[in-house]
Amino acid sequence: MTPTVALQLYSVAEACRRDLRTTLAHVAALGFGAVEFAGLHGHEPDDVRRWLDESGLTVAGLHVQVAELRDPDPLAATAQTLGADLVILAGVPGSDRWVAADWLRLADTLNRAAARLSPLTVGYHLHDVEFLPLPDGERPLEVLLSRLDSAVAVQLDTGH
């Protein structure tokens, strides 16, 4: 099997907001075989599925917001329509990540979503903040990993 290189569409978010269909066609023309969505920019999943088919792209995953994981049924339907088997929490607002208890609550949210969305894989997208010490000296990554179920994936952002 030939490996497929995917593009995280967050890196071309402005182009996606302007014209998602054309952006997908351009991404495919550049040689990418898959994309990881960071939102559908107001488009219906069925339309996006058609544009993916037109461009020959597959879906490597979906980046989502925490509210989508708390009520995952619509997310499951979108993932099915797009052919995604990976759902990644893109991050959390700064106000929800100041102390270890915040990160433990986040782990619980991810664990619940992973159980409800199975067989989809649910994960969390790391940034630099997860490596910085909290006021008590712990690092958010350590707190998260202490509580996450083994079914929850962790995605490293190499840009940070």
Side-chain angles (χ1 to χ4, degrees):
M1 178 177 181
T2 304
T4 298
V5 176
L7 176 69
Q8 169 44 266
L9 290 175
Y10 182 80
S11 65
V12 291
E14 186 56 40
C16 290
R17 279 189 284 279
R18 280 193 310 270
D19 187 342
L20 182 58
R21 184 181 191 177
T22 300
T23 301
L24 292 173
H26 287 161
V27 166
L30 288 170
F32 291 95
V35 292
E36 187 170 60
F37 281 93
L40 300 184
H41 305 283
H43 298 286
E44 292 298 319
D46 288 331
D47 293 331
V48 176
R49 172 77 262 163
R50 190 174 67 255
W51 302 337
L52 288 164
D53 292 341
E54 289 171 1
S55 65
L57 292 168
T58 60
V59 176
L62 305 175
H63 270 213
V64 300
Q65 301 302 311
V66 70
E68 294 172 275
L69 292 179
R70 290 186 180 126
D71 179 23
D73 293 337
L75 178 57
T78 296
Q80 181 177 9
T81 298
L82 298 179
D85 58 7
L86 177 65
V87 174
I88 297 288
L89 177 58
V92 292
S95 60
D96 291 336
R97 60 182 191 204
W98 292 117
V99 296
D102 297 327
W103 292 98
L104 292 172
R105 276 190 298 280
L106 176 61
D108 291 341
T109 297
L110 288 161
N111 291 338
R112 282 190 300 275
R116 286 188 61 192
L117 288 168
S118 181
L120 297 174
T121 298
V122 171
Y124 180 74
H125 181 89
L126 297 175
H127 303 84
D128 57 340
V129 69
E130 288 85 12
F131 296 90
L132 302 174
L134 295 166
D136 65 3
E138 289 185 276
R139 297 183 190 279
L141 179 60
E142 295 164 344
V143 175
L144 267 176
L145 293 178
S146 76
R147 185 81 149 245
L148 284 178
D149 293 340
S150 62
V152 179
V154 177
Q155 183 183 63
L156 182 62
D157 182 334
T158 58
H160 287 90

